[in-house]
Amino acid sequence: MTNIHELSAPEVELQLRARTVADDLLPTTREADRVGGFSDEWQQIQKRLHDEGYLTMYLPPEDGGWAASITDLVLVQEQFARHDGGFANVISHEACASTMLQFAQREVRDHYIERMVAGELTAICISEPTVGTDIANMGARAAREGYGYRLSGDKRYISLGAAADILLFFALTDPKAGLRGGISAFVVDRHQDGIDIQPPEDTLGFRLLPHSDMTVRNVTVPETARLGDEGEGLRIFGEGLNLGRLGGGTQAMGLAVGAYERALAFARERETMGRPIIKHQAIGFKLAQMEVDVEAMRSLTYATARWLDRTGDIGSRDASMKVAVAKTHNTDVALRVCGEAVQIFGAQGIWRSNDVERLFRDAKVSQLVDGPNELMRLRIANTLARG
Ligand SMILES: Cc1cc2nc3c(=O)[nH]c(=O)nc-3n(C[C@H](O)[C@H](O)[C@H](O)COP(=O)(O)OP(=O)(O)OC[C@H]3O[C@@H](n4cnc5c(N)ncnc54)[C@H](O)[C@@H]3O)c2cc1C
């Protein structure tokens, strides 16, 4: 790889190590995608990621992590996403949980970080059967009771729902206040009476991650389980989501890189009419455009990550704008790049055994996960309108 993005020596080492791990796990990744849900293969991948320290890399060393920067997260996720979007998504999912854990009270924070370092996973529970984008109207409630809260609500699309031991549960504490001041966040042990998690859904893409529905009924938690102040859920959600959304943009970039690398190798080998297909201008120009697209995505993503690292400004309006731009651009372009890769492979492109078929499916999902692109454009337009 040419180092045109001026990565430091430790960053290059991190990137190469992540590439090796992803390559080692490729056969397991393929099988996990084929089977879907909470499979043995998924558990093998989870174990390897935990053993290598990737699931807690963003934690400070005193908490058992490497104090990874946002740029480090991006470099690792790009390598993982070259083979599978869901594989890379685990990293941003866990990083997102860590951002939220910064809002927990000291003892609660220490308790859950210890569990995460021991290998327990976190699920983020916001979306509901009737409310995905429109979270101000969520049905989940947290009612004050004695020295704590009583939580109830139905949640949907919960990634890692079937695998997680720790839940970050969002609910309305003040339905009248709605989005601004009405939502609160709680950290909840998943193994409590009243929490029921459904078997994972069978999905088009990101199949490696189990996605489940969940019901929470009359689960009581102490006041210390609340993250931040009452009504601060939107801020907590926003900070975690900005990190998760940059992860979404990074995953899309990695999917495109993986599809491009495979299509390029194939086009140099495959011959028709006496020459490699890359020498036919129609195919050569497709690959040229893929090179342009991949490099533009990489430059935008690395620049956004470096800006977030430099400013430490993860929850600001500027950060939300920059992340929304990278997420929207990369996920739309990745779908085009992965589609062109399928086209270059010809009929082989749609075989289940062909990696580009999986990357194409995951690229479609990337436009929906971490906030659909319509919502991203709405956010960008609103920011532009405010001036
Ligand atoms: C793979 C995957 C993993 C996920 N993991 C989690 C998770 O772990 N935890 C979690 O809480 N959620 C998760 N989600 C949910 C996700 O974050 C989104 O909230 C959800 O996909 C969008 O909600 P919805 O499907 O209910 O769509 P709706 O909100 O019903 O919207 C339907 C369509 O209308 C569009 N739309 C809605 N409102 C507007 C508007 N005002 N203007 C223009 N267009 C609009 C949307 O963009 C979408 O295209 C996941 C989703 C996916 C796909």
Side-chain angles (χ1 to χ4, degrees), residues 27-37 39 41-42 45 83-85 202-209 352 357-359 361-362:
T28 320
T29 304
R30 287 182 182 129
E31 189 57 15
D33 173 79
R34 195 186 65 75
V35 179
S39 61
E41 288 74 17
W42 148 247
I45 291 168
H83 297 329
D84 191 285
D202 196 9
T203 57
L204 169 80
F206 278 46
R207 290 173 53 77
L208 182 139
L209 277 186
R352 285 276 175 183
E357 183 267 352
R358 179 177 68 260
L359 300 174
R361 285 188 280 109
D362 282 357

Side-chain angles (χ1 to χ4, degrees), residues 89 93 123-135 155-161 203 205-206 209 211 237 241 245 365-376 378:
N89 189 260
H93 206 83
I124 299 162
C125 312
I126 300 167
S127 307
E128 302 186 352
T130 54
V131 173
T133 312
D134 187 16
I135 57 164
K155 296 291 179 184
R156 176 155 285 176
Y157 319 118
I158 306 306
S159 302
L160 299 177
T203 57
F206 278 46
L209 277 186
H211 309 280
F237 170 68
L241 219 61
R245 280 184 181 149
V365 175
S366 76
Q367 292 181 310
L368 287 162
V369 74
D370 300 308
N373 285 0
E374 290 79 9
L375 186 69
M376 296 297 97
L378 196 62

Side-chain angles (χ1 to χ4, degrees), residues 6 8 10 24 34 48 63 65 80 119 128-129 135 143 204 252 308 342:
E6 300 182 337
S8 67
D24 274 1
R34 195 186 65 75
R48 177 78 184 269
D63 282 323
F80 288 0
E128 302 186 352
I135 57 164
L204 169 80
L308 290 169
V342 170

Side-chain angles (χ1 to χ4, degrees), residues 266-286:
F266 179 79
R268 285 174 174 153
E269 286 290 314
R270 176 77 168 180
E271 291 194 6
T272 66
M273 297 159 204
R275 56 168 73 173
I277 59 171
I278 194 171
K279 294 276 178 68
H280 299 304
Q281 196 182 64
I283 301 297
F285 276 18
K286 277 190 201 302

